[in-house]
Amino acid sequence: MALLQISEPGLSPEPHQHRRAVGIDLGTTNSLVATVRSGTPETLPDKQGRHLLPSVVHYGKGGEIQVGSAARRRLVENPLDTLASVKRYMGRGVEDIARLGSELPYQLVDSDNGMPSFQTAGGAISPVAASAEILEALEQRAELALDGSLDGAVITVPAYFDDAQRQATKDAATLAGIKVLRLLNEPTAAAIAYGLDQQDQGVIAVYDLGGGTFDISILRLTRGVFEVLATGGDSALGGDDFDRAIAEWIGRQAGLPDALDPSQQRMLLEAARAAKEQLTEQQQVDVAAAGWRGTLGREQLGELLKPYIDKTLRACKKAVRDAGLEIGQVDNIVMVGGSTRTPRVREQVAQLFGKPPLVDLDPDRVVALGAAIQADILVGNKPDGEILLLDVIPLSLGLETMGGLTEKIIHRNTTIPVAKAQEFTTFKDGQAAMAIHVLQGERELVSDNRSLARFELRDIPPMVAGAAKVRVVFQVDADGLLSVTAKELTSGVEARVEVKPSYGLSDEEVTSMLKASYTHAKEDMQARALKEQQVEADRMIEDLTAALAADGRELLSEEEYHCLEVALKDLRSLASSEDHRLIARHIEMVAKASETFAARRMDVSIKKALSGHHLTDFDEQ
Amino acid sequence: MDLTSDYFEIFGLPDAYEVDTQMLAERYRELQKQFHPDRYASKSAVQQKLAVQYTALINQAYAILRSPVERAQYLLSRKGLENNGENSTVNDSEFLLTQMTLREALLEIRDAADPFDELEKFAAPVKLEYGKLQRSFADQYSRERLEEAVETVAKMQFYRKLQQEIEQLEEELD
């Protein structure tokens, strides 16, 4: 196996070592995969030349699974076994879904972990499993086009996705066997696709109205660095609502009753969508349903959509204000999502911002294109890539305190990665344990926010009330995923959780689903695990060898240097072994042994970065 | 730089309240360009973890230094003066009275005939006073008059809160 190249900062790898990376837009209605070829991003079509893959999965009686257009054709005839818009249910509990609307055409079943599944002819299917099917279809398409297996993917999520929804998306990728380089916010991807990073600086608003979600993001660009200043939106508002509003109107005109069976509902929704799409070109269209015939004009459509569009405009104003800006300071407006084709949406957005929005790129593809550009950089094809994204968390994170109140630890719109600590104390004399309840949301009351996780800090030594000092640390990584640790400072008792959403899958469940999945036979799984460990081992060997050669003598004592050399030699002799567990164990050992060294190297490079300033800037002053 | 580094040192800024915000933003972006986890996406897990920790620190330092109130609090905490919210101004009865008057005035605007106009008239002097307090703090800090500086920070906190309430009302009226 070829060694992967790790370049020292500032040095570029050999040009022929091109890695296969893709950007995936896992959408509510449609999904896409894109890659960068010869420096240009492009979406990849299927064999029939279609770029959009409908995000629909059909589960048949015999266990056969269809994805995409084939599945979408079965929506009307077989609505219960055909799952559409599953993105709306990612990371959601049964109650959340019930709140999304009673017109849901699926039969929900509850499972032990609180995550709902849809009852289909192919068994109970979770939203994560259905999303994994879509991802796998895209992966296959990309591997065919790129002639080999993928080294990694950037998957986009709405900026407004909470921790649970992000985690569910990552789980789906794991199930599909895709290495996620980064979860990227859709609006940021869109801004990259428009090449706005080529400009020197400016403020960009990304208005993203998709099938099921609305996102507004305000970004500032300064010489290649994108800072997300504020995000807002609604994770349950989109083109599907347009369709439903139109369908209800058609139903009323046709004199249909309010309660309809699933296939009637589907039929009305299909008619509604067709009418909406035609109205982007025409002034009015003919509509027919259940024996009724009539026309729908743009004016009437505008009236039907007004409450939804108004909601998006209010969110825009709020986001601009959150960013500390005035509407007039926005230089560019990027339009994303199929629903921005609706003429009324474009008019209203132009009116709000006082300038026409950018609509040159296909609003359905723009996110995938941007994700591909970012994937290309992250996988190492463009190590000196000029773009850097500084993203924020969309919702505040906090803890439950006495009286059912939420204490915010990290406020929304804080740049990630971020780590914040807060100290709490005990309420009763001799209190031995403390319940930590992690929450996400902006509201005061715990019950109004989203519960992310609960865990307990135990074995606190007996003390009078208020004497214990419990330090809770929240850390959010660059994907926006949270981990929480709690430590009692006087005794050193510690507890830690990687926050797994209350409605998500545990790692064991992901693993067991992987094992159960017939697309990855057992040998396949092991081969994959072995390959992953070998790649990580090679990466580590390259890394550490280069680091030791560069400044090992300078930064390490004779003994430390020798220890690392020995550990490295061990790993080298094992790296090609067939036992992935053995390799993993050794990687961990080397990682531990080299931690101090890595930290010292980092310190040195930071000092270098700073000393540059001291010289030039203080001279100027 | 270790994880307990001084925030001013991280950005190579002189130890003073007045900060060149443009220079701060520029250095922030430069540091991010070098240490953001995205720059380590194809590196080993150890380096990735370190990158997350360092950028978290850089982000935290940037957020503190950018905020007029938090920067002041940070400077005082380095001198061992923890400021516990509004406690320190309780004895200043004159300021207490100002606070009450301002709050009442803000409440009344809600029911005014032309709330937007009233709010604008109300907001301008508040902003002015907030700026004045910041200049006082800079002066007091540089001359080591720390007790006065502690009181000034408490007043700044009040004015910041008031500004947030003004913005909130603006939003509600919209």
Side-chain angles (χ1 to χ4, degrees), chain A residues 279-464:
Chain A
L279 281 173
T280 64
E281 305 288 331
Q282 295 159 229
Q283 288 299 325
Q284 65 174 40
V285 290
D286 296 326
V287 188
W292 168 84
R293 281 178 181 285
T295 58
L296 177 61
R298 273 195 188 182
E299 271 310 304
Q300 177 69 42
L301 179 73
E303 281 307 306
L304 290 173
L305 306 187
K306 189 173 189 303
Y308 302 104
I309 298 176
D310 284 352
K311 221 171 158 184
T312 68
L313 299 181
R314 279 198 296 277
C316 290
K317 283 189 208 159
K318 185 169 183 337
V320 171
R321 198 162 20 216
D322 281 352
L325 299 170
E326 306 282 334
I327 288 273
Q329 288 175 282
V330 176
D331 301 305
N332 290 294
I333 307 108
V334 170
M335 297 295 258
V336 187
S339 304
T340 60
R341 287 207 180 84
T342 307
R344 180 60 70 104
V345 171
R346 291 185 179 180
E347 285 161 28
Q348 296 282 306
V349 169
Q351 201 182 350
L352 175 70
F353 287 99
K355 57 195 71 152
L358 298 173
V359 292
D360 307 338
L361 292 178
D362 182 338
D364 284 321
R365 294 193 203 179
V366 59
V367 166
L369 294 174
I373 296 173
Q374 181 69 358
D376 196 47
I377 295 171
L378 289 183
V379 83
N381 288 337
K382 251 179 142 182
D384 300 324
E386 276 301 296
I387 313 171
L388 180 67
L389 305 177
L390 303 178
D391 235 321
V392 299
I393 57 163
L395 299 164
S396 300
L397 294 162
L399 286 178
E400 173 168 355
T401 58
M402 293 296 299
L405 295 179
T406 307
E407 169 83 14
K408 285 179 192 165
I409 309 273
I410 302 180
H411 289 262
R412 80 192 171 90
N413 289 334
T414 299
T415 310
I416 52 173
V418 61
K420 278 248 166 96
Q422 187 129 333
E423 281 175 24
F424 294 89
T425 189
T426 43
F427 173 64
K428 278 187 192 156
D429 287 346
Q431 187 176 334
M434 197 180 259
I436 313 276
H437 186 194
V438 185
L439 297 154
Q440 188 163 35
E442 308 311 313
R443 309 282 293 276
E444 283 287 319
L445 289 179
V446 166
S447 51
D448 291 333
N449 288 323
R450 185 169 183 74
S451 166
L452 287 180
R454 288 173 190 274
F455 66 103
E456 274 187 10
L457 180 66
R458 292 174 179 282
D459 304 321
I460 300 174
M463 277 180 258
V464 291

Side-chain angles (χ1 to χ4, degrees), chain A residues 41 59 75 83 107 109 123 191 263 279 308 316 349 355 368 386 433 521 524 527-528 532 537 553 557 582 586:
Chain A
Y59 292 86
L75 264 176
L83 305 180
Q107 285 174 358
V109 284
S263 71
L279 281 173
Y308 302 104
C316 290
V349 169
K355 57 195 71 152
E386 276 301 296
D524 227 40
R528 192 182 278 273
E532 275 172 13
R553 293 282 176 203
S557 71
L582 188 68
H586 269 80

Side-chain angles (χ1 to χ4, degrees), chain A residues 20 30 314 385 394 419 434 488 533 539 544 560 572:
Chain A
R20 296 182 194 90
N30 292 298
R314 279 198 296 277
M434 197 180 259
E488 203 287 303
Q533 292 306 334
R539 186 178 275 189
L544 192 54
E560 287 169 328
R572 216 178 255 133

